[in-house]
Amino acid sequence: MDNNKLTLILTATIDPRGMHFLKRNNVNDRLNDYKKSFSFWCNRKDLKNIIFIENSGYDLDYFKNYAEKIKDKKIEIISSNINDTYDKKLGKGYGEHLCYQEIIKNSKILKDAEHFIIVTGRHIISNFEKIYQEFIFSESDICLNLIDNLKFADANIYYGTLNFFKNYVMPETANINDTAGKWLEHCVADATLKATAEGMKFKQLATHPDVIGFIGTNNKVRKIRYIKKIRLFFFGILKRYFISHKKY
């Protein structure tokens, strides 16, 4: 894989303005989350292209000024107010879908991309280097973690080809409705299963992401639970075996 054809996508909503199912809703708290995360990702030497999209129309001068100081990569800042264009009962996940739509329409960087990584914009992945190596050497069209009998995808971080993003993730995430219990994670899982059924190569992520940040839904700090991580590691070995041998 050509590293210059890989793009990191960071999605952001700084001012959620009454979004349903969201307890981390203080603007200053969220802004500080994004500042910390943005600095982390901009200073990753293994990433050459970054798209940061914010969908509440918040002033992005801080991020633009920070990006101008980074000389070893392309960083695109996209501002939009699309978070005010839909019924908030659909939830924050639908806003994520609209961010994807906006990127496809307006991003210059994405036009030259062949692969993408999507990360929740407020979060840092402390073991990203290991996950990144897994992505670039996977030789797969899709690499992410499917759980709950393949019905739920860990959308904190996932990887795929531009074809997967445009032709599977985009149409499936249009079905997000948090009130009805159809979350972003369900839709990314649906996209993965449909793409795999139609011949795309899927790899179950072997590394459990160590996410640093706050959970938006309940405003609790994400904790790295090492016993759970070890359990998931060994369970993941079995799951990857069954998936790769088509026993699921």
Side-chain angles (χ1 to χ4, degrees):
M1 185 192 70
D2 184 353
N3 193 34
N4 292 309
K5 297 291 185 178
L6 172 67
T7 296
L8 173 70
I9 298 172
L10 300 171
T11 56
T13 305
I14 296 174
D15 186 355
R17 289 196 286 275
M19 180 61 66
H20 286 230
F21 311 107
L22 187 71
K23 289 191 176 180
R24 191 158 183 82
N25 49 28
N26 180 276
V27 173
N28 288 330
D29 288 342
R30 295 179 66 86
L31 178 59
N32 287 330
D33 291 344
Y34 287 119
K35 285 180 177 180
K36 291 174 185 176
S37 174
F38 190 70
S39 173
F40 173 83
W41 294 112
C42 284
N43 288 285
R44 294 291 319 180
K45 298 300 181 183
D46 37 25
L47 297 170
K48 301 299 181 185
N49 304 292
I50 297 175
I51 299 169
F52 178 86
I53 178 166
E54 203 283 329
N55 68 359
S56 70
Y58 196 87
D59 183 355
L60 299 182
D61 282 350
Y62 171 87
F63 300 94
K64 293 174 182 177
N65 293 334
Y66 194 101
E68 287 177 359
K69 299 174 185 177
I70 308 297
K71 304 300 182 183
D72 63 341
K73 60 185 87 251
K74 295 178 183 177
I75 303 175
E76 189 172 44
I77 310 291
I78 300 176
S79 178
S80 171
N81 65 350
I82 53 176
N83 211 43
D84 293 325
T85 64
Y86 70 94
D87 187 345
K88 294 294 195 297
K89 290 181 180 178
L90 292 174
K92 60 186 184 297
Y94 193 78
E96 185 94 353
H97 163 74
L98 293 180
C99 281
Y100 298 167
Q101 195 175 78
E102 198 80 359
I103 290 168
I104 289 173
K105 286 194 298 184
N106 297 319
S107 172
K108 295 178 181 177
I109 287 178
L110 199 70
K111 288 179 171 60
D112 295 323
E114 293 178 357
H115 298 82
F116 72 91
I117 299 171
I118 293 182
V119 175
T120 302
R122 291 186 302 103
H123 291 161
I124 291 169
I125 310 294
S126 62
N127 60 341
F128 176 74
E129 184 173 353
K130 187 174 181 180
I131 293 174
Y132 173 78
Q133 293 298 317
E134 192 173 340
F135 285 160
I136 64 174
F137 292 116
S138 69
E139 297 183 354
S140 298
D141 300 302
I142 310 157
C143 186
L144 49 80
N145 186 22
L146 286 180
I147 59 175
D148 192 18
N149 292 323
L150 310 182
K151 294 184 294 186
F152 193 94
D154 182 351
N156 284 302
I157 180 168
Y158 62 102
Y159 161 91
T161 63
L162 197 59
N163 177 25
F164 173 61
F165 180 59
K166 287 184 174 180
N167 297 314
Y168 295 93
V169 173
M170 272 301 302
E172 290 300 325
T173 54
N175 299 319
I176 292 171
N177 185 332
D178 286 6
T179 300
K182 189 74 171 179
W183 304 343
L184 170 68
E185 292 82 358
H186 297 121
C187 293
V188 174
D190 290 345
T192 301
L193 296 178
K194 185 175 181 181
T196 304
E198 295 181 0
M200 298 189 81
K201 291 177 12 180
F202 165 67
K203 180 181 183 297
Q204 178 79 4
L205 185 62
T207 306
H208 182 68
D210 290 339
V211 181
I212 296 175
F214 289 81
I215 301 169
T217 307
N218 58 23
N219 200 26
K220 293 182 179 179
V221 177
R222 288 189 174 273
K223 296 180 180 179
I224 301 173
R225 295 179 172 86
Y226 292 99
I227 294 176
K228 180 180 179 181
K229 187 176 176 181
I230 292 169
R231 187 171 70 247
L232 289 172
F233 172 77
F234 287 107
F235 179 67
I237 292 174
L238 293 174
K239 187 159 49 173
R240 288 190 298 278
Y241 171 80
F242 285 114
I243 289 174
S244 63
H245 289 74
K246 302 182 180 178
K247 300 295 185 183
Y248 52 91

